[in-house]
Amino acid sequence: MKSTRSFVVALTRVLLLALALAPIAEVAAANAAATPAYKKLTLSKEFYSEGAAFADFNKNGQLDVVSGPYWYEGPDFTKRHELFTPFVFDPLKYSDNFFAFTHDFNADGWPDVLVLGFPGVDASWYQNPGVKGGPWRRYVAALPVDNESPTFGQLLAKGPPSIVCMSAGRIGYFTLEPKDPARPWTFHAVSPVMAGWQRFTHGLGFGDVNGDGLNDILEKDGWWEQPASLAGDPVWKRHPFSFAAKGGAQMYVMDVNNDGAPDVITSKAAHGYGLSWFEQVRATDGGESRFKEHVILSEKPEEKIAGAQFSQLHAVVLSDVDGDGLPDIVTGKRWWAHGPSGDADPSGTPVLYAFLLRRGPNHSVSYEPRLLEDTTGIGTQLIAADVNGDGRPDFVVGNKRGTAVLLSQKK
């Protein structure tokens, strides 16, 4: 009788556990099914750039692509047009075109192209000739632009977007004068000259770390707090913290675990291994917050987490891949960053992965890896946009394997 009762109790526990896990399994299966497959469109097999971007350059309602010296007409990207004289770079060496961003700099209604060149050189923008056609005129915007992950975006609450970068040993941002966009932009340093910062320093981003409504600037060794007033270009307050000893790529601020405190996302080594998110734990006494690291990809080459491991995460973007309303992490392997030797696994499979954000009870979080594509990899930039109108992100990559668009496909 006692053994029968024990068996019934044990069976009941198993059934209750199965019922508890069933919804989780159903959600996981649904999320896996919701992750799109990707179709690759090869725009070029030549090495023109390490970055590329989307914009509707001819204003026909379709997103186009810019990569290196060309822009390609959407939606099939088979027809291309020159921005400037093409030059094919040797994959054993480097290009002078690391990033491409788009914006209407002269406010004429036509999107222009901002090119950030080799680290330590210039950023220049190219004026869209519009309906009249003809050459794209070049204007030098900023010099020097240091760091291997400078970016362009709405750092400040007012005014046009800025180039956020390091320059001559300081961190800061370049702003254009809207009334005279042709003249060189103004650099606003937010730091003093810092030892060790140079053109090839890795890791940079911006976002509102302390939740005061103002964007701060992130770098591998901490973050710089934007003051309430920017009058006189004051030095921003530095909050030291080692997010990545060697420095990764683009850094992001978002409330990963939905606890009301912004967190930080970064790859750990642009030419090595590792991806983490750092949970911000606010001090109860009003003092300095601390950050708790949560590892997504290991820094140990031989260690796989959830079956995933790859090197050289030199470009990172946040985008909702599976359509659940939460930004996922998308990154991959930069192929031949310094040729076939000198880096971690330089000729490994050029993968593109999404790490799908999963939130659980009590602000728990996990990231589920999903392989999206394995023939393209990344460069120093990864841009997402919904090109085909299916509600899911598509991606464009420029790197030493060429230029490609990855279009989401329903499974």
Side-chain angles (χ1 to χ4, degrees):
M1 188 69 177
K2 184 176 180 180
S3 60
T4 302
R5 187 181 300 112
S6 299
F7 173 77
V8 171
V9 171
L11 180 61
T12 302
R13 288 175 177 172
V14 170
L15 291 173
L16 288 173
L17 179 61
L19 289 172
L21 292 177
I24 298 174
E26 290 175 5
V27 170
N31 287 330
T35 308
Y38 280 85
K39 175 184 178 181
K40 179 178 180 178
L41 302 180
T42 300
L43 280 55
S44 170
K45 293 183 179 180
E46 288 77 30
F47 173 34
Y48 290 115
S49 67
E50 292 275 11
F54 293 112
D56 184 5
F57 295 115
N58 54 3
K59 296 177 66 174
N60 68 348
Q62 299 284 347
L63 283 177
D64 311 305
V65 162
V66 61
S67 179
Y70 296 109
W71 72 271
Y72 303 78
E73 289 188 26
D76 57 10
F77 311 107
T78 56
K79 186 176 181 180
R80 70 184 187 184
H81 308 264
E82 284 187 15
L83 277 77
F84 47 84
T85 303
F87 183 85
V88 178
F89 294 94
D90 182 350
L92 292 173
K93 299 179 181 178
Y94 314 102
S95 79
D96 63 4
N97 192 312
F98 268 54
F99 298 87
F101 299 96
T102 62
H103 183 75
D104 182 7
F105 294 106
N106 60 346
D108 67 352
W110 294 83
D112 309 304
V113 175
L114 175 68
V115 173
L116 278 58
F118 190 78
V121 192
D122 68 276
S124 294
W125 69 275
Y126 293 81
Q127 182 179 343
N128 189 334
V131 68
K132 67 180 183 294
W136 289 58
R137 184 175 178 181
R138 177 189 178 193
Y139 299 92
V140 176
L143 180 73
V145 175
D146 297 338
N147 194 286
E148 290 204 23
S149 296
T151 191
F152 175 74
Q154 198 64 50
L155 171 68
L156 307 181
K158 297 180 180 179
S162 305
I163 299 171
V164 182
C165 63
M166 294 174 177
S167 186
R170 299 178 295 174
I171 199 167
Y173 57 97
F174 283 94
T175 57
L176 88 162
E177 171 50 60
K179 294 180 180 179
D180 188 7
R183 81 180 192 188
W185 299 11
T186 301
F187 184 65
H188 306 267
V190 310
S191 77
V193 173
M194 300 291 288
W197 285 358
Q198 36 85 22
R199 60 164 64 185
F200 302 121
T201 298
H202 289 78
L204 193 64
F206 68 87
D208 184 5
V209 178
N210 58 355
D212 65 353
L214 301 173
N215 282 327
D216 312 299
I217 295 180
L218 294 159
E219 40 99 357
K220 66 184 182 69
D221 294 315
W223 60 281
W224 296 78
E225 180 182 347
Q226 182 177 160
S229 173
L230 297 176
D233 279 345
V235 170
W236 296 13
K237 182 180 178 180
R238 181 174 183 253
H239 299 263
F241 183 84
S242 180
F243 291 110
K246 295 181 179 179
Q250 293 80 14
M251 302 175 71
Y252 294 93
V253 178
M254 68 166 285
D255 185 0
V256 173
N257 58 354
N258 200 30
D259 67 351
D263 309 303
V264 173
I265 296 170
T266 184
S267 56
K268 301 301 294 292
H271 301 287
Y273 294 87
L275 175 69
S276 293
W277 74 275
F278 290 82
E279 178 184 0
Q280 182 173 178
V281 182
R282 287 175 168 159
T284 56
D285 59 359
E288 190 80 8
S289 293
R290 62 183 180 87
F291 290 89
K292 178 182 178 181
E293 183 175 7
H294 298 266
V295 176
I296 303 170
L297 284 178
S298 175
E299 295 182 74
K300 301 176 182 177
E302 70 282 359
E303 182 179 10
K304 290 186 176 182
I305 297 177
Q309 180 63 308
F310 53 91
S311 67
Q312 302 201 61
L313 289 69
H314 213 304
V316 180
V317 70
L318 302 186
S319 189
D320 182 8
V321 172
D322 57 357
D324 65 355
L326 300 176
D328 306 305
I329 301 171
V330 185
T331 184
K333 176 180 176 56
R334 186 180 175 196
W335 186 81
W336 273 27
H338 299 110
S341 61
D343 294 312
D345 192 25
S347 298
T349 303
V351 296
L352 182 70
Y353 263 86
F355 294 87
L356 307 177
L357 175 57
R358 301 287 179 247
R359 287 175 173 165
N362 301 316
H363 304 298
S364 61
V365 161
S366 65
Y367 277 98
E368 296 180 4
R370 291 284 188 277
L371 176 65
L372 302 184
E373 212 272 342
D374 63 359
T375 68
T376 304
I378 57 172
T380 55
Q381 182 181 32
L382 183 62
I383 296 292
D386 184 7
V387 175
N388 56 10
D390 67 352
R392 300 297 174 88
D394 309 295
F395 302 95
V396 63
V397 173
N399 63 13
K400 293 184 176 183
R401 300 175 73 88
T403 298
V405 172
L406 303 174
L407 293 177
S408 60
Q409 309 287 303
K410 291 184 179 179
K411 290 184 177 180

